[in-house]
Amino acid sequence: MFILSENPPAIPVAPQQRSPSSSLLVVYPPVAHNTTASQIFLIGSAPAAGEVLVNGQRIRRNTTGNFSPSFPLVMGENKFVVQYSGQSKTVVVVRTSAQPELPIDGFAKDSLYPNVPIARLPGELICLSAIAPPNSKVTARLGQQSLTLVPGANTMTLADNLSVLTGKLDAQAVTGKYQACTQLSQPSSQNTTLGAPIYELKLPDGRSVRETAKGTIDILDPARLTTVEVTASPGVARTGSDTEFARLTPLPQGVRDRVTGKDGIWQRLSYGGWIKEAETKVVSRSGVPVESLVSGVTSRLVSDWTELRIPLQTPVPITVNQTDRTVHLTLHHTISQAGIQRLVNNPTISHVTWQQITPTQMQYTLHLKTNQAWGYKTRYEGNLLVLSLKNPPVLASNLKGIKILLDPGHGSSEDLGAVGNGGIPEKDVTIAVSKLLRDRLTKRGATVIMTREGDDDIGPNERAQLIAKVEPTIALSIHYNALPDAGDAEKTQGVSAFWYHPQSQSLAQFLHDYVTQTLDRKSDNVFWNNLALARPTVTPSVLIELGYMINPEEYTWITDPVQQNKLADTLADGIEAWLRSR
Ligand SMILES: [Zn+2]
């Protein structure tokens, strides 16, 4: 089960009491459970001999006694009585609607835009919106303006990210949303705020409700924008003002840019990315744009890295974009003067080309000598931008000199991961298999670093930071899978691997293929996914899910010590084979 660093565990699986092996065990769902799914699976086990009944019906089990049947859910309360040999357990699942209920006699709670203070440039559109009962009349006052809001005919909300795993990706219609847009005018010198919009609702029965939005709307003066500097290392830049939005290339500490918009705690920088206010500090209110010329470029070798060193007039925002055999480095707010490049003799970069891709964006393309990139990192030293590329490892007859980081997923009673049919949690299997794999890799000469040796509670970002610090040759995060409630635990099996940067794709695909083919395991696909443990840039970094904890057959295989040893052999062989193939 994987965890997106910004969100709580996506697929919570709560264990019930561990029981002796002679008894009936229901590990999921918990005794009382709420869900919006249209079906639910019951995960558990009982001794192989005899029958398990759910609400009087016999259910399918595998040869070791595990079961994971799914049952449809009606809206409201659903009661499941699970029986085995005189023992009985009752589970109550309450199904609620996935759609928020429409308000009857007022605005839906927190539905008036904006909910937080916002700021925009003159000329931008501001769209006011509110959720109200059908057939109402909704108006709003914004400064001197009065707007009539109309029902949104085709507003849709996308299915959440996890729907990719269940295949149910249809967009859902949003009902009850009323909208109207207006263009912001130039602020006057006295008045740069429009205040909070005041909404008025006339219900079909004639009653009316008036409510003020929580957030105010400010208009920024384009000649007096604030310049901020990134203080976080690195700053997290996104495509929008919420952690739901995609990540852009992290901004190295020291980057400067002007603020062209605000949404609560988020700031929009002039180059386009959004960053939290807390990750920056104000350095100027002069309104002077952040701009740089670029001319000569130098380079040097520093231990395992080849560094490209680009002197700038000011630390501008950057974007790094990898392809199979190139690294593109885009400098925003930058104009080229095409000076001389000095590229040292190095094992990684063949040559560097450049292009002025827009009047204000300059792009370097680093052409690599091999078709495998081994990691990159960026930093500012004052106004000097340094892009470092990891040099390819040199392989001996064994794995001497190779540094491998293993990350056993989850840990501690706070973070069990998925709990399998027989009650064993994912965290116990990931550490067992990781230790077996560590011993094999160490025997082959590799240096192995583990994110945890014991039953420790370590967050995904902390683990990723260790990867950035250690700079291993490769990093592998080991997990076992589970499903959201709507999934089919009885039928879903297989190994999956996740990569994020192109430099990690080959390793993800190779290990997935190697394990599925060598051990004749089912495939559950190779995914691109923005996971904390796939996100480090300093090394090819892969997260692998080695089977489903909640599938009756796979749970038996996953928890069998003989099979765990075979799996560790196969992973060690696979890692070495991939390193040699590169
Ligand atoms: Zn996991």
Side-chain angles (χ1 to χ4, degrees):
M1 178 168 108
F2 57 79
I3 292 183
L4 304 166
S5 70
E6 30 262 336
N7 300 319
I11 310 160
V13 178
Q16 295 190 0
Q17 290 280 303
R18 288 287 290 276
S19 312
S21 59
S22 63
S23 64
L24 170 65
L25 197 59
V26 181
V27 300
Y28 190 86
V31 179
H33 180 60
N34 281 289
T35 186
T36 56
S38 61
Q39 61 176 33
I40 190 79
F41 39 65
L42 301 188
I43 310 297
S45 62
E51 288 187 349
V52 173
L53 306 178
V54 174
N55 294 346
Q57 296 288 314
R58 188 182 163 200
I59 56 166
R60 247 197 318 261
R61 296 198 292 148
N62 79 335
T63 51
T64 55
N66 301 329
F67 56 82
S68 305
S70 283
F71 296 93
L73 294 173
V74 296
M75 281 295 177
E77 208 174 280
N78 297 261
K79 191 168 160 188
F80 298 98
V81 181
V82 189
Q83 290 171 292
Y84 171 79
S85 175
Q87 303 165 49
S88 172
K89 291 191 189 285
T90 302
V91 168
V92 176
V93 179
V94 176
R95 180 182 168 196
T96 52
S97 171
Q99 290 271 351
E101 274 185 41
L102 275 183
I104 303 163
D105 53 7
F107 291 112
K109 193 173 184 296
D110 295 333
S111 73
L112 305 182
Y113 183 85
N115 231 333
V116 291
I118 67 167
R120 292 288 186 277
L121 291 171
E124 288 196 66
L125 272 190
I126 286 280
C127 292
L128 300 185
S129 67
I131 293 175
N135 305 314
S136 308
K137 192 176 172 233
V138 180
T139 54
R141 280 206 77 77
L142 178 61
Q144 306 301 313
Q145 266 191 88
S146 181
L147 298 167
T148 300
L149 283 71
V150 294
N154 47 14
T155 313
M156 302 292 275
T157 170
L158 292 175
D160 72 42
N161 265 322
L162 285 172
S163 308
V164 171
L165 305 179
T166 52
K168 291 161 187 156
L169 270 172
D170 299 334
Q172 306 262 330
V174 179
T175 49
K177 191 169 188 179
Y178 292 74
Q179 285 174 293
C181 301
T182 181
Q183 192 171 28
L184 293 183
S185 55
Q186 195 76 24
S188 65
S189 53
Q190 299 88 5
N191 205 357
T192 56
T193 181
L194 295 169
I198 302 162
Y199 288 80
E200 193 161 324
L201 164 64
K202 280 211 170 64
L203 292 160
D205 64 9
R207 284 181 298 159
S208 67
V209 178
R210 180 183 281 234
E211 201 177 319
T212 305
K214 282 187 183 156
T216 50
I217 300 174
D218 285 359
I219 309 174
L220 298 170
D221 180 349
R224 301 241 172 277
L225 296 178
T226 302
T227 297
V228 294
E229 179 177 307
V230 174
T231 51
S233 182
V236 178
R238 293 185 180 274
T239 56
S241 59
D242 189 290
T243 53
E244 298 272 300
F245 284 94
R247 283 168 183 258
L248 296 165
T249 298
L251 296 175
Q253 193 174 51
V255 160
R256 291 184 173 199
D257 205 359
R258 287 182 305 159
V259 176
T260 63
K262 281 194 181 187
D263 273 2
I265 59 168
W266 292 86
Q267 308 171 115
R268 182 180 60 194
L269 301 182
S270 165
Y271 88 104
W274 290 80
I275 187 170
K276 281 183 182 163
E277 211 167 48
E279 298 189 4
T280 65
K281 66 175 184 197
V282 174
V283 288
S284 159
R285 297 184 196 277
S286 70
V288 176
V290 171
E291 287 173 342
S292 182
L293 298 170
V294 62
S295 125
V297 173
T298 64
S299 61
R300 66 177 191 190
L301 282 168
V302 180
S303 67
D304 295 343
W305 298 82
T306 302
E307 287 187 352
L308 199 66
R309 298 168 71 80
I310 306 168
L312 296 166
Q313 293 170 301
T314 188
V316 296
I318 61 164
T319 301
V320 180
N321 186 16
Q322 231 179 14
T323 71
D324 282 349
R325 245 187 128 114
T326 59
V327 176
H328 300 291
L329 169 66
T330 304
L331 309 180
H332 301 275
H333 312 315
T334 302
I335 295 167
S336 172
Q337 288 187 331
I340 296 172
Q341 294 172 13
R342 180 179 174 275
L343 186 62
V344 289
N345 190 15
N346 76 88
T348 306
I349 307 169
S350 136
H351 60 286
V352 179
T353 53
W354 69 269
Q355 208 182 355
Q356 188 77 41
I357 53 172
T358 74
T360 58
Q361 288 175 308
M362 143 83 182
Q363 186 176 73
Y364 289 103
T365 300
L366 285 62
H367 301 264
L368 306 186
K369 287 185 172 169
T370 66
N371 55 11
Q372 176 64 48
W374 294 91
Y376 68 85
K377 55 185 181 180
T378 55
R379 68 174 188 277
Y380 270 109
E381 291 174 4
N383 292 340
L384 179 77
L385 174 62
V386 182
L387 171 62
S388 313
L389 264 60
K390 185 82 172 283
N391 297 328
V394 180
L395 268 175
S397 59
N398 64 1
L399 295 182
K400 197 169 178 334
I402 302 294
K403 215 194 269 183
I404 297 170
L405 183 136
L406 294 180
D407 172 43
H410 310 280
S412 88
S413 56
E414 297 300 305
D415 180 11
L416 302 172
V419 177
N421 293 74
I424 297 175
E426 180 186 349
K427 60 152 184 132
D428 289 356
V429 192
T430 59
I431 189 73
V433 168
S434 296
K435 283 182 173 171
L436 294 173
L437 176 56
R438 174 197 61 192
D439 296 346
R440 282 154 177 81
L441 292 170
T442 309
K443 211 171 263 175
R444 294 174 196 215
T447 304
V448 179
I449 299 101
M450 308 259 285
T451 53
R452 68 176 175 104
E453 300 267 349
D455 194 17
D456 312 308
D457 186 14
I458 311 167
N461 286 338
E462 244 178 291
R463 296 169 195 246
Q465 278 158 19
L466 185 68
I467 296 175
K469 192 177 142 206
V470 168
E471 298 177 352
T473 315
I474 62 165
L476 181 62
S477 185
I478 290 176
H479 286 252
Y480 290 85
N481 225 336
L483 286 164
D485 285 350
D488 186 341
E490 203 170 48
K491 296 210 180 80
T492 309
Q493 291 192 5
V495 172
S496 51
F498 294 80
W499 61 277
Y500 181 60
H501 300 291
Q503 65 190 7
S504 309
Q505 188 196 358
S506 157
L507 179 60
Q509 186 75 50
F510 190 94
L511 287 180
H512 162 272
D513 293 352
Y514 200 87
V515 171
T516 51
Q517 285 160 18
T518 310
L519 297 175
D520 196 22
R521 305 305 303 171
K522 289 208 169 105
S523 161
D524 192 36
N525 227 320
V526 176
F527 294 86
W528 177 91
N529 196 344
N530 185 354
L531 301 173
L533 270 305
R535 212 182 289 137
T537 64
V538 295
T539 185
S541 196
V542 165
L543 185 146
I544 192 160
E545 302 268 4
L546 291 159
Y548 281 82
M549 293 299 291
I550 59 174
N551 177 272
E553 303 295 341
E554 285 201 324
Y555 178 78
T556 303
W557 175 77
I558 285 166
T559 52
D560 180 344
V562 176
Q563 300 301 331
Q564 288 176 352
N565 274 285
K566 274 193 194 167
L567 176 60
D569 285 334
T570 305
L571 285 169
D573 289 345
I575 288 168
E576 179 157 6
W578 181 79
L579 287 168
R580 297 209 177 278
S581 77
R582 295 274 110 187

